[in-house]
Amino acid sequence: MAAAHGSLHVITSKHEWDAKVFEATTNGKIGKKLLPLKIVVDFTASWCGPCKMIAPFYAELSEKYPQLVFLKVDVDEMAEVSAEWDVRAMPTFIFIKDGKQIDKLVGLNQPELEKKVLNCVAMTQSA
């Protein structure tokens, strides 16, 4: 079972993926408003060196920005989901709002990843 918002959710099945995207799209509560939550997905692989290097930083971001939903998907275990989102290199970070991609980052770039996460946080606060 996946953990609560504000922590990293490791997705291991298509059903779990669909459930988390649905939950974030329809059930995000911020204050008394019902707003869709933004999702940040780390498409990774166990054999990927850069993925291993950025993993602790990604986990830190999930704790630092609990208003977002952070997911981690292994491309080898979840090939169908990876193909749906056109993931061709790792790590790939996809930013999702209302079930649609709003941004993407490919590669190991911590400053750019945090910048894009902050953009999502700003969108959440202004929504």
Side-chain angles (χ1 to χ4, degrees):
M1 187 62 110
H5 297 305
S7 60
L8 188 56
H9 306 274
V10 178
I11 303 300
T12 58
S13 72
K14 176 78 163 103
H15 174 75
E16 195 176 7
W17 168 264
D18 291 341
K20 277 293 169 196
V21 171
F22 178 79
E23 175 188 327
T25 303
T26 59
N27 298 331
K29 282 191 178 179
I30 298 174
K32 294 186 180 189
K33 291 182 180 179
L34 185 62
L35 299 171
L37 296 172
K38 312 308 180 283
I39 303 171
V40 184
V41 187
D42 175 9
F43 285 93
T44 186
S46 59
W47 46 263
C48 170
C51 299
K52 291 177 184 176
M53 291 172 62
I54 203 162
F57 181 71
Y58 186 70
E60 286 174 26
L61 291 175
S62 75
E63 295 300 324
K64 192 173 178 181
Y65 303 105
Q67 61 272 60
L68 304 177
V69 177
F70 287 81
L71 306 179
K72 188 172 201 129
V73 174
D74 186 304
V75 297
D76 294 323
E77 294 176 15
M78 302 285 298
E80 180 183 350
V81 171
S82 302
E84 281 178 31
W85 293 92
D86 196 31
V87 174
R88 298 172 185 258
M90 278 66 65
T92 293
F93 300 91
I94 294 184
F95 300 80
I96 300 170
K97 176 185 174 190
D98 296 326
K100 296 183 173 87
Q101 179 178 316
I102 56 171
D103 208 345
K104 184 176 187 175
L105 174 66
V106 178
L108 176 62
N109 187 334
Q110 289 183 359
E112 190 64 20
L113 177 58
E114 187 158 23
K115 178 181 168 187
K116 290 179 181 290
V117 165
L118 284 169
N119 287 341
C120 280
V121 169
M123 288 171 52
T124 299
Q125 292 171 344
S126 66

